[in-house]
Amino acid sequence: MRHSLLALLLGALTLGGCATLGMGRAGDELVGEALRMQTSRGQITHLLFQGDGTVRAAFGESVVTGRWSVENRNLCFYWTGAPRECWPYAAPFRRGETRALTSDRGNAIRVTRQ
């Protein structure tokens, strides 16, 4: 009886762990991935997200590094010498999907996950 109860408990814990494996933190789908951002004036920037919270932005011949995080359903960026800027982030980005977004600073962009 004791072994049966232990087996049931271990089985329940295993199934519970499996159920939570697919549930990561908001933004986890971006780690190691790139987003293509196009401004309303047509400027293209590629953003590469790292798991340590850094993000690289490449545009033209320039590359800058900043930080990113997901806060209160917003994807936020922190660039040196610039104020924080956040985009609405209601759901994970899917590969090939393009979204039209307006940041909390009023910048209208089109974002595509590469």
Side-chain angles (χ1 to χ4, degrees), residues 27-98:
D28 279 353
E29 85 281 2
L30 297 173
V31 174
E33 299 290 330
L35 292 180
R36 179 184 183 271
M37 180 183 76
Q38 183 173 1
T39 67
S40 57
R41 288 190 252 155
Q43 180 183 8
I44 305 292
T45 300
H46 290 91
L47 302 170
L48 179 62
F49 295 81
Q50 302 298 320
D52 65 357
T54 58
V55 59
R56 287 183 36 161
F59 49 96
E61 299 294 318
S62 300
V63 176
V64 296
T65 302
R67 304 217 31 94
W68 71 280
S69 65
V70 175
E71 306 165 8
N72 302 319
R73 298 177 58 129
N74 289 292
L75 177 58
C76 298
F77 296 93
Y78 302 86
W79 307 102
T80 302
R84 180 194 78 172
E85 185 166 18
C86 297
W87 304 340
Y89 180 79
F93 288 96
R94 290 186 203 96
R95 195 171 309 282
E97 173 189 52
T98 299

Side-chain angles (χ1 to χ4, degrees), residues 1-15:
M1 173 94 171
R2 180 180 252 181
H3 292 290
S4 297
L5 184 58
L6 182 59
L8 281 172
L9 180 59
L10 287 175
L13 289 173
T14 301
L15 286 175

